[in-house]
Amino acid sequence: MKTRRLAGLGFLDPHSAEPLPTETLLGLYPELLRELPVGIVLLRLEDPSDAESFRIVDANRAAAGITRSPSRMLLGRTLADFPKLLQTPIPGQLLATLRTGEARDLGEIAYSDENIRDGVYSLRAFPLSDSFLGVAFEDVTERIHAGRTLRESEERSRLLVEGVKEYAIFQLDTEGHVVTWNAGAQRLKGYSSADIIGRHFSAFYPEQDRLNDKPREFLKRAARLGQAEDEGWRVRKDGSRFWANVVITSLRDSNGALLGFAKITRDTTETRDRAEALNRDKELLELRVQQRTAVLTRLNNEMRTEIADRQHAEEELLKSRDQLRALAARLQSVREEERAYISREIHDELGQACTAIKMDLAMIGHKLTNRQAALRAKVDSSIQLVDGTIVTLRRLASELRPRTLDDLGLPAALEAHAQDFESRTGIQCSVILPPEPLILDADRSTVIFRIFQESLTNVARHAHATRVEARLRLEDDRILFQVFDNGTGFDPEVAKTRKSLGLIGMQERALLLNGEFKTEGAPGSGTTITLTIPLHSSISAESVRHEDSDR
């Protein structure tokens, strides 16, 4: 009965049509016919001296699926029916496996013919008896392609880092020893890779910093916070010093274990020198202003005796004030233009670069198999890092100059900023707009938006409020904008004595448009700011440009 049942499954001698020995089939049957995901074929050697006489006597379902060749197309064939296979070492390896009686890996082979689809297959042979041999195989084409793609991507990244010459970019191990070195690092610090790899990065610090253990403290801070930034003097190989901006980022695996650090160093000596020169010029300007003030005071005392001279001085003062306001308007305009330019560059250039990196990582992720879990986790981690970078770039661009203000106008910009403020702080923020469409020029839109932005910043820092409400409406020939909060409030007289730069800045913005800015509040009863701007008058920087051309 066993013999007939096994014969019905197809285990027949193709030459004699007689069933194979029952004891042999009983050993092979459980091993070959399970629902394994790996393809398995059973071979019988008919001529011990001829590897081409290996005949396929059975194949599992996975074998047919992987090769995309039905089982009926495989059964009964010998290796002689696969001419391309005979050109490889595989037949000889099968014969050697059967003779030695030991299983062996046959490696990977690229193969295709009219019955077997094109692909790369990984093979392993295992003997079952003196004449029976099992071969397990799987299609590894996609895995090899994904690995090649990943290696190419890593190589491009490596070449990019090594080719950067404006920044020193290198890696440290967990103790702070240099493990990689790019061209920018060699140019900036003077060390070749052979000179520095393996040495501790404290070699870049002045002796006093090393004695104070500053390098080790810097690494500890980066490991604790994920990233740390520092500025200070650094030392080149030849002993010369330069002022550097340094950022160290900790590198961790998917389990959070520290692998090392990435370090970026930029020479900012020239920037520091310019800043110091600017401070010296500022001090000189302040001295000149003081001297000018003393002269004006003396002249004012002298002119008290003459009404005509006093009137002339007052007229000059008014003219000077108008010029200063015009100049302030021009400076504000230039500042807004620069902010808009930087915002566009961040949004367009860096945003597109991060999006491209994310798309490449996503493509790599789709190519990975289920067996590459560690690699898939690394790709997913990289995608999350890129997502976080994109969010940060968008936030920076919006803080510099919200595109909504230029593209959709003031009402949309106010509502968008209120929503962003509420999501960041948890403070309820609403904006009430006029029912009719409101279209304002760029100067008024910018002033109102910046005052709203500064007001919300003050609320977040000082007010301890739970609700903020902003109202924008038109009254006759003027624009009225108010911001209320239910916070702790403040004493306006005390605020005046403290000379808050935020309040002064908002007042100056209002004055540039011949407007009025008021702050009202009392301790414990919240704060209200009110901005009133005429609809049809403004102060521009044209007068300053006209005077410059006259000179």
Side-chain angles (χ1 to χ4, degrees):
M1 292 297 293
K2 287 181 180 179
T3 300
R4 287 195 297 272
R5 183 163 58 252
L6 294 172
L9 291 173
F11 289 94
L12 299 175
D13 186 328
H15 294 290
S16 63
E18 290 297 326
L20 295 173
T22 301
E23 59 276 10
T24 300
L25 292 174
L26 287 176
L28 299 176
Y29 175 73
E31 189 68 29
L32 293 176
L33 293 187
R34 286 195 201 127
E35 296 294 331
L36 294 177
V38 178
I40 298 180
V41 295
L42 177 63
L43 304 178
R44 187 180 67 177
L45 182 64
E46 298 179 347
D47 183 350
S49 62
D50 185 6
E52 296 183 15
S53 67
F54 273 110
R55 187 179 299 277
I56 301 175
V57 297
D58 208 346
N60 72 344
R61 185 178 303 173
I66 293 173
T67 61
R68 293 189 180 175
S69 180
S71 297
R72 64 179 181 276
M73 300 296 294
L74 298 175
L75 296 180
R77 290 178 175 269
T78 66
L79 296 190
D81 295 322
F82 302 92
K84 292 183 179 180
L85 190 62
L86 297 178
Q87 299 174 8
T88 70
I90 298 300
Q93 293 174 336
L94 294 177
L95 191 60
T97 300
L98 194 61
R99 288 172 177 173
T100 61
E102 296 180 357
R104 69 168 64 182
D105 287 323
L106 305 184
E108 297 174 351
I109 179 175
Y111 189 82
S112 67
D113 59 26
E114 62 274 11
N115 295 317
I116 298 178
R117 68 171 177 177
D118 185 18
V120 179
Y121 300 90
S122 175
L123 291 82
R124 179 176 175 82
F126 50 93
L128 299 173
S129 68
D130 292 340
S131 58
F132 283 89
L133 183 71
V135 177
F137 62 93
E138 60 179 327
D139 188 350
V140 296
T141 307
E142 292 186 1
R143 184 179 68 194
I144 291 176
H145 178 69
R148 184 184 301 115
T149 301
L150 180 61
R151 288 192 298 272
E152 291 174 353
S153 176
E154 291 176 344
E155 179 66 12
R156 286 195 297 270
S157 299
R158 183 187 65 81
L159 293 176
L160 176 62
V161 170
E162 291 181 354
V164 173
K165 295 184 179 180
E166 298 303 320
Y167 296 87
I169 304 175
F170 53 97
Q171 293 184 12
L172 309 174
D173 63 16
T174 56
E175 299 299 323
H177 298 94
V178 178
V179 295
T180 66
W181 197 247
N182 80 327
Q186 182 170 343
R187 183 193 65 82
L188 180 60
K189 298 177 183 290
Y191 293 94
S192 68
S193 59
D195 294 333
I196 197 62
I197 288 181
R199 293 181 60 182
H200 198 270
F201 84 111
S202 59
F204 310 135
Y205 283 76
E207 182 178 0
Q208 188 60 43
D209 288 345
R210 293 198 299 268
L211 292 176
N212 293 334
D213 208 20
K214 186 175 179 180
R216 195 173 304 278
E217 292 300 323
F218 194 16
L219 274 192
K220 288 181 180 179
R221 182 153 51 96
R224 184 177 69 255
L225 302 178
Q227 186 179 86
E229 185 173 358
D230 183 34
E231 286 193 351
W233 290 111
R234 295 295 185 271
V235 181
R236 297 186 177 92
K237 181 182 178 181
D238 61 7
S240 62
R241 300 201 310 172
F242 65 97
W243 189 263
N245 174 268
V246 183
V247 177
I248 294 184
T249 303
S250 61
L251 305 175
R252 298 182 181 274
D253 61 17
S254 57
N255 296 321
L258 183 64
L259 301 177
F261 301 89
K263 189 170 182 286
I264 301 177
T265 303
R266 181 165 58 97
D267 185 353
T268 58
T269 307
E270 184 177 348
T271 303
R272 181 175 182 270
D273 291 343
R274 285 199 301 267
E276 291 181 347
L278 183 61
N279 287 333
R280 289 193 298 268
D281 292 342
K282 181 180 177 182
E283 292 174 356
L284 180 60
L285 179 60
E286 290 176 350
L287 178 60
R288 290 180 177 176
V289 169
Q290 293 174 1
Q291 294 172 347
R292 181 61 176 168
T293 302
V295 171
L296 291 176
T297 301
R298 187 182 70 253
L299 292 175
N300 184 57
N301 293 333
E302 293 174 354
M303 287 186 294
R304 285 181 180 178
T305 59
E306 299 181 9
I307 296 177
D309 291 342
R310 183 176 61 186
Q311 290 176 343
H312 176 71
E314 290 175 351
E315 290 172 358
E316 289 295 321
L317 182 61
L318 290 174
K319 182 179 178 180
S320 177
R321 186 186 65 182
D322 292 339
Q323 290 176 343
L324 287 175
R325 283 213 182 141
L327 179 59
R330 178 59 180 164
L331 292 176
Q332 285 289 357
S333 176
V334 170
R335 183 183 181 189
E336 289 295 334
E337 290 172 1
E338 187 67 15
R339 281 187 168 188
Y341 171 77
I342 296 174
S343 175
R344 286 193 301 270
E345 288 296 307
I346 290 175
H347 183 274
D348 295 342
E349 298 297 330
L350 294 181
Q352 290 178 8
C354 287
T355 301
I357 292 173
K358 180 179 178 181
M359 293 173 64
D360 288 345
L361 290 172
M363 181 187 69
I364 293 172
H366 290 316
K367 296 293 184 178
L368 299 178
T369 64
N370 293 333
R371 297 187 178 186
Q372 297 170 301
L375 189 56
R376 182 182 296 276
K378 189 66 176 177
V379 171
D380 292 342
S381 175
S382 298
I383 291 176
Q384 292 177 4
L385 180 60
V386 173
D387 285 338
T389 303
I390 292 174
V391 171
T392 300
L393 291 176
R394 288 176 178 170
R395 177 178 58 79
L396 290 176
S398 178
E399 289 177 355
L400 285 170
R401 177 75 178 184
R403 300 190 68 172
T404 309
L405 183 60
D406 297 323
D407 297 340
L408 302 179
L410 177 63
L414 293 176
E415 290 181 332
H417 190 66
Q419 292 175 1
D420 180 66
F421 174 80
E422 182 172 334
S423 65
R424 285 188 292 104
T425 64
I427 300 173
Q428 181 182 353
C429 186
S430 60
V431 178
I432 300 176
L433 301 172
E436 66 276 6
L438 181 62
I439 301 177
L440 298 176
D441 59 87
D443 289 340
R444 289 175 176 77
S445 297
T446 299
V447 167
I448 294 174
F449 181 81
R450 292 302 184 193
I451 288 179
F452 181 54
Q453 196 176 40
E454 182 65 23
S455 300
L456 293 186
T457 300
N458 289 339
V459 170
R461 289 178 178 174
H462 312 297
H464 304 290
T466 60
R467 181 174 57 83
V468 181
E469 179 179 295
R471 296 179 183 176
L472 179 65
R473 64 178 183 269
L474 299 179
E475 289 187 354
D476 299 328
D477 289 335
R478 61 180 187 169
I479 304 168
L480 185 65
F481 181 65
Q482 292 181 303
V483 181
F484 312 84
D485 70 73
N486 64 346
T488 56
F490 71 102
D491 187 346
E493 296 302 322
V494 175
K496 289 180 181 179
T497 60
R498 292 179 179 174
K499 296 181 180 180
S500 169
L501 294 179
L503 293 177
I504 292 175
M506 289 188 279
Q507 290 172 351
E508 289 299 319
R509 286 183 181 275
L511 289 175
L512 290 177
L513 294 176
N514 288 332
E516 182 182 0
F517 178 82
K518 294 192 303 183
T519 305
E520 300 172 293
S525 60
T527 304
T528 301
I529 69 164
T530 303
L531 171 68
T532 306
I533 301 175
L535 268 178
H536 303 295
S537 65
S538 64
I539 295 177
S540 69
E542 292 298 327
S543 60
V544 174
R545 290 196 290 270
H546 291 330
E547 290 191 6
D548 290 339
S549 63
D550 292 339
R551 295 192 188 98

